[in-house]
Amino acid sequence: YNNNSLLYPIVEEYVSYLNTKLTNATGSLLTYNQAKNLGCDNSTGSCSSAPSWVYSTNYWTGSASGARGVWCVSSDGNFFNCSYHYGGSHGVRPVITISTSEIQ
């Protein structure tokens, strides 16, 4: 995931909206390593050890899993290599970072 990604403008538009209310919000897609750190495991294909919010919806991560795939998380707790053509069943779930000083 970078500024060459087709999803980049979608995330950036959301960040721009947030920055009308905040000052330094940043956004990206969840990475493979972040998913693993949260409890997703590619060897079992599961995010069952992660908090439930991690797998409460279907989405692409920002990490490639091969030449034509990305790592995906699904609402049934699966963590798997999926085609980036899963447009009808997967979406984006931006990771938004804001300063704690902006939380009221």
Side-chain angles (χ1 to χ4, degrees), residues 24-75:
N24 291 310
T26 61
S28 64
L29 296 181
L30 187 75
T31 67
Y32 171 83
N33 286 333
Q34 289 170 328
K36 284 187 67 169
N37 288 339
L38 287 167
C40 296
D41 184 350
N42 70 315
S43 67
T44 62
S46 175
C47 287
S48 62
S49 296
S52 61
W53 58 263
V54 172
Y55 56 88
S56 62
T57 190
N58 301 325
Y59 60 96
W60 294 295
T61 70
S63 297
S65 61
R68 295 186 175 260
V70 294
W71 288 100
C72 288
V73 175
S74 64
S75 59

Side-chain angles (χ1 to χ4, degrees), residues 47-103:
C47 287
S48 62
S49 296
S52 61
W53 58 263
V54 172
Y55 56 88
S56 62
T57 190
N58 301 325
Y59 60 96
W60 294 295
T61 70
S63 297
S65 61
R68 295 186 175 260
V70 294
W71 288 100
C72 288
V73 175
S74 64
S75 59
D76 57 3
N78 289 326
F79 182 55
F80 60 102
N81 171 355
C82 69
S83 170
Y84 57 81
H85 294 289
Y86 273 30
S89 62
H90 282 71
V92 296
R93 188 173 194 179
V95 174
I96 303 299
T97 304
I98 62 171
S99 171
T100 55
S101 65
E102 297 203 60
I103 300 172

